[in-house]
Amino acid sequence: MLPMAGAPTQPLEFHVTSETHPPNGTLLGFWVYLMSDCLVFACLFAAYGVLGRQFAGGPTAAEVLEIPTVALNTALLLLSSITYGFAVLEMQRDRQSPMLGWLVVTGLLGLGFLTIELREFAHLISIGAGPQRSAFLSSFFTLVGTHGLHVTTGILWMIVLIIQVLKKGLITANKRRLMCLSMFWHFLDVVWVGVFSFVYLMGVLP
Amino acid sequence: MSAHDDTQHGHDDAHGHDDLGIHATFGGYMTGFVLAVILTIIPFWVVMAKVFEKSSSAAVVILGLAAVQIVVHMIYFLHMNTKSEGGWNMLALVFTIVLVLITLSGSIWIMYHLNDNMMPLMNPANLP
């Protein structure tokens, strides 16, 4: 390094070091992700639509699907949607503790949903109606299981966000994350509307 | 808790966009919730009380109400409108809906006919 007269004290930079992005770019990007996830579910729904009546001599949908259980699960997920909405409202008012409270309630409702779904899966497998039994059950487990996996991810994300908010407070970055999770969580409820209508309710029709 | 909130605003505030462009209201969420509950209870009642003789009419009601409920969720929970993000997320949504409809109707339509065209031997019921 040869110090010269007039040499810049700062190293020369020929690129933009800061990121240029439109405001709210994250939310739009996350929306695009959700739309791609929507296509994943569309493929799984299509697979179920094609295979849902191929029982291969095994149990039919009407025999193994229990509507009261699904009604309870639907109620839990719908309630978790509105409690997440309350968390967003508290977030807008910058009230951290009530926001965290609603987030915990949402997470617990999500856990309740998962527990009931896993018990249903365990019951099905125990009576010999596992995913390997027929095309109907394969597509059923894939579709409903993928949704359950999304809910699991959502709950993990919620736990991480709760820790982040506890450590950093309701800073802008955390608010943005909360809004992304809000979209994710409500999107899961939208998918569940398709699941309970198309798989469960139409499945048990005579 | 909120006393030291102001000190915690990091560089993310540089753009001055604390506002995330979404203004959720209690009324909006409650409207969406009540509508969603009604639109959930009706199809469950249709199935559990066996309201319709024909499965096809029940299926039409279930699918129709599901479609309405999805729109309700989109508007009241996902805050979807034609203005948000400069219309870009509506554009993405419309594109996705087109693809979803093609995927679903195309798969079911084509595979339905494929089943019809299967050789009789492929049907396990006809095997010796």
Side-chain angles (χ1 to χ4, degrees):
Chain A
M1 296 299 266
L2 295 173
M4 293 187 298
T9 51
Q10 301 274 326
L12 287 174
E13 283 175 354
F14 296 100
H15 58 277
V16 181
T17 49
S18 61
E19 290 177 27
T20 56
H21 55 82
N24 297 336
T26 309
L27 292 185
L28 177 58
F30 194 76
W31 180 257
V32 172
Y33 154 69
L34 283 185
M35 292 298 100
S36 69
D37 217 15
C38 199
L39 295 181
V40 171
F41 278 108
C43 295
L44 295 176
F45 271 108
Y48 180 82
V50 169
L51 302 170
R53 300 269 165 185
Q54 314 293 321
F55 302 120
T60 66
E63 283 165 16
V64 291
L65 301 184
E66 287 168 9
I67 292 301
T69 317
V70 183
L72 179 61
N73 250 354
T74 308
L76 285 180
L77 210 56
L78 197 55
L79 273 176
S80 82
S81 246
I82 190 72
T83 54
Y84 202 105
F86 292 154
V88 168
L89 291 174
E90 296 295 348
M91 182 200 81
Q92 285 184 337
R93 290 190 214 116
D94 284 317
R95 291 169 50 177
Q96 183 171 319
S97 304
M99 197 284 294
L100 286 173
W102 284 118
L103 219 53
V104 169
V105 172
T106 310
L108 290 178
L109 286 167
L111 270 182
F113 171 87
L114 267 187
T115 313
I116 294 173
E117 186 164 286
L118 285 176
R119 284 173 62 98
E120 184 195 10
F121 281 6
H123 170 70
L124 285 177
I125 292 169
S126 72
I127 60 169
Q132 72 274 30
R133 180 62 190 84
S134 64
F136 151 64
L137 284 163
S138 302
S139 55
F140 168 83
F141 273 92
T142 314
L143 173 57
V144 183
T146 306
H147 178 268
L149 209 56
H150 276 74
V151 175
T152 315
T153 318
I155 292 172
L156 284 177
W157 188 358
M158 220 170 274
I159 293 169
V160 171
L161 260 183
I162 288 172
I163 295 170
Q164 281 184 315
V165 171
L166 280 175
K167 283 182 102 76
K168 303 273 184 185
L170 276 174
I171 58 174
T172 310
N174 277 343
K175 285 186 178 179
R176 190 181 61 228
R177 291 167 189 144
L178 283 164
M179 287 316 293
C180 282
L181 181 55
S182 159
M183 291 203 288
F184 187 71
W185 198 255
H186 292 310
F187 168 77
L188 290 185
D189 207 4
V190 171
V191 174
W192 183 253
V193 171
V195 172
F196 82 72
S197 303
F198 193 60
V199 175
Y200 287 93
L201 291 182
M202 284 177 65
V204 300
L205 287 177
Chain B
M1 274 285 182
S2 58
H4 54 89
D5 264 3
D6 286 340
T7 60
Q8 291 173 332
H9 286 264
H11 78 284
D12 289 295
D13 258 347
H15 304 290
H17 279 282
D18 193 32
D19 170 27
L20 287 159
I22 289 168
H23 299 283
T25 59
F26 180 75
Y29 276 121
M30 284 319 282
T31 314
F33 181 67
V34 170
L35 283 174
V37 167
I38 294 169
L39 290 166
T40 302
I41 288 176
I42 296 174
F44 271 96
W45 168 72
V46 162
V47 170
M48 291 168 99
K50 297 185 175 63
V51 175
F52 290 99
E53 287 285 312
K54 286 172 65 181
S55 289
S56 54
S57 22
V60 169
V61 171
I62 292 168
L63 286 182
L65 290 172
V68 176
Q69 179 163 193
I70 286 174
V71 173
V72 166
H73 278 251
M74 288 277 175
I75 293 173
Y76 291 103
F77 290 161
L78 285 161
H79 312 294
M80 196 65 200
N81 61 54
T82 52
K83 301 285 192 305
S84 54
E85 309 285 355
W88 283 104
N89 52 5
M90 181 54 88
L91 191 71
L93 176 66
V94 171
F95 179 59
T96 310
I97 291 172
V98 171
L99 286 185
V100 167
L101 286 181
I102 292 174
T103 312
L104 281 177
S105 58
S107 305
I108 292 168
W109 177 36
I110 290 172
M111 296 307 281
Y112 177 77
H113 286 279
L114 195 72
N115 272 350
D116 277 358
N117 294 335
M118 280 289 197
M119 286 165 60
L121 266 180
M122 299 298 282
N123 186 348
N126 294 346
L127 286 176

